[in-house]
Amino acid sequence: MPVFYGTEIDSPLMLGTAGYPSPRILADAFARSGAGIATVSLRREAGGGQDFWALVRSLGVALLPNTAGCHGAREAVTTAQMAREVFGTDWIKLEVIGHADTLQPDVFGLVEAARILAGDGFKVFPYCTEDLVVCERLLDAGCQVLMPWGAPIGSGLGLNNPHGLRALRAAFPDVALVVDAGIGLPSHAAAAMEMGFDAVLMNSAVARAGDPAAMAGAMADAIRAGRAAYLADPMERTDMAIPSTPVIGRAFL
Amino acid sequence: MRITLNGTPRDTAAATLAEALAEARLTGRIATALNGRFVPAALRETTPLGDGDAIEALAPMQGG
């Protein structure tokens, strides 16, 4: 099971809390998913914040607050400081958004904010790209977890760059790696786990499914299968056929 | 004195951040920032307000 900053989590599935049809369906989805971590955020108090706090506390999972919507390092650092106080955790999913259409991370602001926050005692989970150099800089800044995107947030496109994600896994064999964003189907999640990723973080794939709880269960099954497959050491791929039935002893007809 | 609270301008007699929150009935689990800087809960009572100050009072919310 994944270990983040020395804490082992019971499940490789990390689940967001946004966009469910109702709080009841959110709770059902979490129960079916077996997720060990829930992502949450901070917004201007408009009456619902305290009820939501009670709901997430009742889920019995670790909370990972995010800095969603922040477009610069300074804004993200302030949001992280506020989240630490409200949620009582030094874990932070660090998002510094750089592009309005793709919600692609601003990796320059991300590294800057990660360095400040790590120096202030935060345990940073950076939402990043699969760029090896950026990831190296994030590790230098003090991150012990990397969370590259699979595809743009909420797109459901799956793993846009499987080669890059595989290269990242190979480059950092001892770092906790999470595919965050872009998952749409259980097969996407399974593929990430088959590559050796430690966990998968998703929200829309479950929340926007017709039956979120059933999809949460399907995701949990896929992630379990993907992890088991990785540990079973999959066969090498080849471009040409290799007969599986023995050639020796074949009849001459 | 005129301040901004969560993006909405308002007149206030509050001398401190804590008083402004009480005046707006903002209680429970919230975090505050004044003019873009985080103010820990323990410092709200001793954080003075000035004309034109902008307060953000944030609460737990759904997130991905």
Side-chain angles (χ1 to χ4, degrees):
Chain A
M1 290 298 166
V3 177
F4 300 125
Y5 292 97
T7 299
E8 185 169 12
I9 301 296
D10 285 343
S11 166
L13 174 52
M14 301 159 72
L15 193 55
T17 55
Y20 293 83
S22 72
R24 173 67 188 271
I25 292 174
L26 184 159
D28 287 349
F30 266 84
R32 287 283 288 278
S33 74
I37 294 175
T39 54
V40 292
S41 74
L42 281 179
R43 287 291 180 264
R44 286 171 170 171
E45 173 62 297
Q50 307 312 310
D51 287 346
F52 179 69
W53 171 245
L55 173 65
V56 293
R57 293 256 298 179
S58 74
L59 298 176
V61 298
L63 298 181
L64 177 60
N66 68 29
T67 63
C70 291
H71 282 74
R74 194 192 58 79
E75 190 186 355
V77 167
T78 301
T79 302
Q81 292 166 333
M82 297 173 85
R84 177 162 64 179
E85 185 176 83
V86 161
F87 292 107
T89 177
D90 50 13
W91 284 12
I92 191 75
K93 174 182 165 181
L94 182 61
E95 293 185 37
V96 182
I97 299 301
H99 192 274
D101 292 333
T102 62
L103 299 181
Q104 178 156 346
D106 168 357
V107 295
F108 307 97
L110 183 67
V111 171
E112 183 187 347
R115 183 170 291 114
I116 294 167
L117 290 171
D120 190 20
F122 281 89
K123 296 180 171 73
V124 180
F125 294 62
Y127 164 62
C128 56
T129 63
E130 69 278 19
D131 186 295
L132 292 176
V133 181
V134 168
C135 287
E136 184 83 55
R137 296 284 192 279
L138 287 166
L139 296 175
D140 290 346
C143 297
Q144 296 179 24
V145 180
L146 297 169
M147 302 211 298
W149 63 349
I153 293 171
S155 68
L157 290 171
L159 307 183
N160 262 356
N161 182 7
H163 172 76
L165 291 170
R166 224 176 267 120
L168 190 67
R169 178 70 287 176
F172 304 113
D174 301 321
V175 176
L177 296 182
V178 181
V179 167
D180 174 12
I183 300 295
L185 291 167
S187 53
H188 303 152
M193 297 305 293
E194 287 165 6
M195 288 177 191
F197 276 76
D198 297 273
V200 177
L201 199 169
M202 67 184 72
N203 189 155
S204 305
V206 170
R208 282 163 44 194
D211 184 340
M215 185 59 82
M219 289 293 184
D221 289 345
I223 286 170
R224 198 174 300 119
R227 179 66 185 170
Y230 171 71
L231 294 174
D233 189 15
M235 62 168 280
E236 294 293 327
R237 297 202 302 191
T238 66
D239 290 333
M240 302 300 282
I242 300 173
S244 49
T245 302
V247 177
I248 297 172
R250 186 168 61 90
F252 188 77
L253 302 171
Chain B
M1 183 169 69
R2 199 157 177 81
I3 62 169
T4 304
L5 177 59
N6 281 350
T8 305
R10 61 186 287 147
D11 293 311
T12 181
T16 65
L17 179 55
E19 287 177 24
L21 296 175
E23 191 183 87
R25 294 194 173 83
L26 283 168
T27 57
R29 214 165 179 96
I30 55 169
T32 50
L34 181 62
N35 300 324
R37 289 182 180 277
F38 170 58
V39 180
L43 297 183
R44 287 177 199 156
E45 286 186 11
T46 54
T47 300
L49 291 184
D51 194 44
D53 276 351
I55 300 169
E56 293 285 343
L58 307 186
M61 197 60 59
Q62 293 84 350

